[in-house]
Amino acid sequence: MAVTLKNIAAICGVDISTVSRALRDDPKVQPLTRKKIQQQASELGYVPNLAARNLVSGKTLNLWMIIPDMELPVVREPACFLSKSLKRQGYDLLLTLYHHDSDNFKHKMSRLSQNVADGAFVIPGFDEEVKEVTALLRNNFPLVFIDRGMNIPQSTTVTTTNTRAAAELTEKCLEAGAEKFILFFQENNTAAEARLRGAIELLEARNIPFIVADNADAGTTDFIKDGRLAMLSSSAYAPGELSKKYGNAKLIVGVFDAWSGLTEKFSHIFVCKQDFKGIAEQAAKVMLRKINDKSHDNGFIEVPSLPLETLKSEYPVRK
Amino acid sequence: MAVTLKNIAAICGVDISTVSRALRDDPKVQPLTRKKIQQQASELGYVPNLAARNLVSGKTLNLWMIIPDMELPVVREPACFLSKSLKRQGYDLLLTLYHHDSDNFKHKMSRLSQNVADGAFVIPGFDEEVKEVTALLRNNFPLVFIDRGMNIPQSTTVTTTNTRAAAELTEKCLEAGAEKFILFFQENNTAAEARLRGAIELLEARNIPFIVADNADAGTTDFIKDGRLAMLSSSAYAPGELSKKYGNAKLIVGVFDAWSGLTEKFSHIFVCKQDFKGIAEQAAKVMLRKINDKSHDNGFIEVPSLPLETLKSEYPVRK
DNA sequence: CTGAAAGCGCTTACAG
DNA sequence: CTGAAAGCGCTTACAG
């Protein structure tokens, strides 16, 4: 079967410990034997058995990233950047999907405590408490949440300056003439909560009427009648749906990451893109610190969002 | 640190082999001791060390899927279906990206021989020979190529009935009145080759003029002047680009998987969607056979494409 | 039903 | 510079 140290040792007539050393370029091994062993190993196509190596070292050089699916940029982009940058540090990033299924999520988390990875990035999808997560945290397993956290005290989350970004979007809509707001930030995660907070703070300070809505059914309330309406949302979905039910007057909208769908029903479309590369860089840095220095820095690390983009503006906004 | 069999054995006052048996529900262990041990284990939060278990069993219950990126449906959809269905078989699917980089690809492949996974799905991106791949194949490592193969004799590839699908697209364009064709199937992989073959066979049989083009620069040749032009392509990119350079006459286009971009310049848009779910099912089946029965069935397994879709048709096609 | 022992493939103090 | 030995955490014949 697979070539082992033992095979090489037998052929070269040395002890397997010498082979082990030679193959790890240990200077203590005589250059000549080292050469001979290395050559023999490559001829036989020797490849170390990581399971065995890990058993000794306790390291796998694998990092997992546990994600709900691959549909959104907020998942794919950080994953892509992380994969590239961690490769340079000698780690393989392995993505695994839990398909928005809570049991599946728990299963993936429990695999982490079985020595399959040296750490993991997580994009969570539940606010319920998951005991597998708290167990990992308690054992100081390196865990970094991306985009949104799980509201667990001892955890680290790398995300965007969501509160500020939402306030900026709100401000922009006001400049475009918005007189009232519908806020769609009901995803029930820390990112949506922060966005909601940012919008509400500003609107309350300015005394602007607003409602917080679950979905496009808000379009059936009286609230939307008369006056220029603005909508804020994490994705283009809810605004798109609501606009279909809306009358003739044009809507103002502010969304995160990307607009998608038709644009006719809107007078202004503002997009706040997150700095996914920056998020990945921060996440990688924190992860390596956790692995190497056993650092325990927790809490939220906020990466500034990119400058607001105006996708559509039928008339100039007032300053 | 982590709880081990030894800890539990000490507490329960039995040998670690008994603990091991109890935890694997071995009926040979007396029910009472079994219960006691299992309870103690769960209280301590025991989790088996997979690295150690693998060292003995040689199994990891992990399957890798090595992919270039996550941008295209042809990558994401099979991955998503595979992840779900393999979970039911007790395997975790781990996606890892090589970012279209040949060294990175080789690195991922060499990791496979280090006991990190029981098998791997691969969406290749190079036609150059990769010795890491042939080495794995030689050792009967379970490897299943998805969508396109690497032209290696001993390998298994699950893909679409590309030749037939391309012929159907061609036929459809002819029905829409196409008088000449530009074929964009230059990706240099087995899928593109099969598609090119399917289109060419039909066009030659019918004596229809065509050219094979690398990219949208075909738009600068004399060939495109006069007569209704059709384009066939794996993705919407090249046709989209060419249409910009094209004059007033409308184009006919047939693409695989999905259309994207504007539609104005086209009179007819036909889309051939691949059956990604079917591909995933076949791939999973072959993988499990390779792992369990040590089967060596090789070659191409072709899953029929879905019925052709007509995304746009400015005038009815003749039959 | 249970324990003692060997072994999976590797690494690393410890002697020499 | 090299070998013998212990050990990483587990599994599994083999005795009893």
Side-chain angles (χ1 to χ4, degrees), chain A residues 5 17 20-21 24 46 49 53:
Chain A
L5 291 190
S17 57
S20 172
R21 290 190 192 101
R24 336 192 83 235
Y46 170 78
N49 180 324
R53 189 173 273 182

Side-chain angles (χ1 to χ4, degrees), chain A:
Chain A
M1 293 289 310
V3 185
T4 69
L5 291 190
K6 206 158 136 185
N7 301 326
I8 303 173
I11 293 176
C12 295
V14 294
D15 189 80
I16 85 162
S17 57
T18 305
V19 178
S20 172
R21 290 190 192 101
L23 260 27
R24 336 192 83 235
D25 261 330
D26 188 327
K28 287 203 294 280
V29 178
Q30 188 175 252
L32 214 81
T33 10
R34 210 190 321 163
K35 275 267 140 48
K36 211 176 64 186
I37 292 174
Q38 288 178 347
Q39 192 186 320
Q40 193 55 252
S42 91
E43 261 175 43
L44 295 174
Y46 170 78
V47 162
N49 180 324
L50 284 209
R53 189 173 273 182
N54 299 344
L55 192 55
V56 176
S57 71
K59 295 272 154 248
T60 66
L61 296 184
N62 282 159
L63 293 174
W64 275 26
M65 180 160 182
I66 300 179
I67 56 182
D69 61 38
M70 293 179 286
E71 294 316 305
L72 296 174
V74 72
V75 172
R76 273 182 278 151
E77 303 241 342
C80 189
F81 286 119
L82 275 172
S83 167
K84 282 185 196 160
S85 91
L86 292 169
K87 177 76 189 346
R88 273 177 247 122
Q89 317 288 329
Y91 288 95
D92 285 306
L93 184 71
L94 301 171
L95 310 178
T96 185
L97 311 171
Y98 61 86
H99 305 287
H100 301 273
D101 175 69
S102 142
D103 286 334
N104 200 326
F105 182 75
K106 288 173 192 163
H107 169 254
K108 305 292 187 198
M109 297 307 298
S110 77
R111 292 280 280 164
L112 290 180
S113 42
Q114 307 179 347
N115 260 282
V116 293
D118 299 349
F121 302 93
V122 180
I123 300 190
F126 313 98
D127 51 347
E128 47 171 317
E129 181 167 324
V130 176
K131 75 171 199 299
E132 283 80 358
V133 175
T134 46
L136 286 168
L137 254 16
R138 198 179 331 113
N139 291 324
N140 282 320
F141 182 85
L143 218 51
V144 175
F145 291 91
I146 306 246
D147 185 54
R148 58 242 194 195
M150 294 191 80
N151 274 324
I152 301 173
Q154 298 300 339
S155 63
T156 308
T157 307
V158 180
T159 184
T160 293
T161 49
N162 284 303
T163 306
R164 177 146 63 84
E168 283 173 12
L169 272 178
T170 309
E171 185 73 54
K172 206 77 179 174
C173 292
L174 287 170
E175 288 170 3
E179 293 162 357
K180 55 188 178 180
F181 283 73
I182 299 185
L183 309 177
F184 293 109
F185 291 121
Q186 296 293 296
E187 292 91 346
N188 239 325
N189 64 47
T190 58
E193 282 162 20
R195 290 169 185 179
L196 188 60
R197 206 180 319 127
I200 289 182
E201 270 170 17
L202 183 62
L203 292 173
E204 284 184 341
R206 303 276 178 89
N207 236 319
I208 312 279
F210 67 89
I211 60 172
V212 176
D214 262 84
N215 52 52
D217 287 342
T220 61
T221 70
D222 281 346
F223 182 79
I224 67 169
K225 289 198 201 123
D226 314 319
R228 290 193 67 77
L229 177 65
M231 290 178 288
L232 297 178
S233 173
S234 286
S235 81
Y237 181 71
E241 290 301 301
L242 200 156
S243 72
K244 291 180 194 159
K245 306 181 183 173
Y246 202 64
N248 295 322
K250 295 227 176 167
L251 295 159
I252 299 168
V253 67
V255 298
F256 279 83
D257 295 342
W259 178 255
S260 65
L262 303 173
T263 61
E264 297 116 30
K265 293 269 201 160
F266 303 89
S267 68
H268 295 78
I269 301 175
F270 303 112
V271 180
C272 173
K273 292 195 177 160
Q274 303 186 66
D275 179 8
F276 293 126
K277 185 164 189 207
I279 289 178
E281 277 164 11
Q282 283 301 318
K285 198 192 287 179
V286 179
M287 176 60 79
L288 294 177
R289 258 213 307 273
K290 282 187 187 265
I291 292 176
N292 299 322
D293 317 347
K294 317 279 179 199
S295 95
H296 295 185
D297 41 4
N298 298 318
F300 283 79
I301 296 171
E302 296 197 330
V303 177
S305 55
L306 301 176
L308 236 53
E309 290 180 16
T310 301
L311 201 78
K312 177 174 181 184
S313 178
E314 276 194 349
Y315 48 86
V317 300
R318 65 161 196 271
K319 279 291 173 189

Side-chain angles (χ1 to χ4, degrees), chain B residues 5 17 20-21 24 46 53:
Chain B
L5 291 190
S17 57
S20 171
R21 289 189 193 101
R24 336 192 85 234
Y46 170 77
R53 189 174 273 182

Side-chain angles (χ1 to χ4, degrees), chain B residues 208-219:
Chain B
I208 312 280
F210 66 88
I211 60 171
V212 176
D214 262 82
N215 52 52
D217 287 343

Side-chain angles (χ1 to χ4, degrees), chain B residues 64-82:
Chain B
W64 276 26
M65 179 160 183
I66 300 179
I67 56 182
D69 61 38
M70 293 179 285
E71 294 316 305
L72 296 175
V74 72
V75 172
R76 272 181 280 152
E77 304 242 342
C80 189
F81 286 119
L82 275 172

